[in-house]
């Protein structure tokens, strides 16, 4: 599996923007999809967005139209541009990677995003 290191996040007012980044290293050749999950306090993990190697993207209904996922496969990097942020977007965000032939996933270390009203 690959190692994922995240950067970005922080504190922003409602309506503002933040960008999260993730760099994969190690066994990156088997990655089939990269994405983002989040976990708000007291809540379960929620898938936010993902992008397959062919560029196909998925977004949760709660972020569609506001968040944009992008990948640079050659550099093994991924970003999440978050616009029009809302207080309900407050959560710890995790970078993830899926691999061919296994259900195991790699997870980043998590980064806090806090949106003040």
């Amino acid at each position: 599996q690959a190692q994922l290191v995240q950067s970005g996040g922080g504190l922003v007012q409602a309506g503002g923007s933040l960008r999260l980044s993730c760099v994969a290293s190690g066994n990156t050749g088997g990655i089939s999809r990269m994405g983002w999950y989040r976990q708000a306090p007291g809540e379960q993990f929620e898938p936010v967005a993902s992008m397959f190697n062919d560029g196909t993207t998925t977004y949760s209904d709660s972020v569609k139209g506001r968040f944009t996922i992008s990948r640079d496969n050659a550099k093994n990097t991924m970003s999440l541009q978050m616009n029009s942020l809302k207080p309900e977007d407050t959560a710890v965000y995790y970078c993830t990677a899926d691999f061919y032939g296994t259900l195991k996933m790699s997870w980043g270390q998590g980064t806090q995003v806090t949106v003040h009203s």
Side-chain angles (χ1 to χ4, degrees):
Q1 293 184 319
Q3 292 74 50
L4 306 178
V5 177
Q6 303 176 216
S7 60
L11 179 64
V12 68
Q13 284 190 324
S17 298
L18 286 173
R19 187 177 182 87
L20 304 180
S21 296
C22 176
V23 179
S25 62
N27 184 23
T28 60
I31 293 176
S32 60
R33 178 178 64 166
M34 295 186 72
W36 297 92
Y37 277 71
R38 68 186 181 186
Q39 186 179 33
E43 301 292 332
Q44 293 184 340
F45 284 98
E46 174 193 12
V48 175
S50 70
M51 181 180 281
F52 290 87
N53 289 352
D54 65 359
T56 303
T57 58
T58 66
Y59 293 95
S60 69
D61 288 342
S62 61
V63 307
K64 199 171 294 183
R66 300 187 297 121
F67 290 11
T68 303
I69 189 171
S70 60
R71 284 179 63 183
D72 184 331
N73 291 339
K75 297 181 179 179
N76 294 315
T77 60
M78 176 180 63
S79 295
L80 184 69
Q81 179 65 41
M82 304 183 292
N83 298 328
S84 303
L85 283 160
K86 304 175 181 180
E88 50 264 43
D89 295 318
T90 295
V92 178
Y93 285 70
Y94 296 88
C95 168
T96 64
D98 296 271
F99 298 85
Y100 293 107
T102 178
L103 296 178
K104 292 183 178 180
M105 297 172 62
S106 288
W107 291 76
Q109 78 274 23
T111 186
Q112 178 70 46
V113 170
T114 302
V115 184
H116 282 302
S117 59

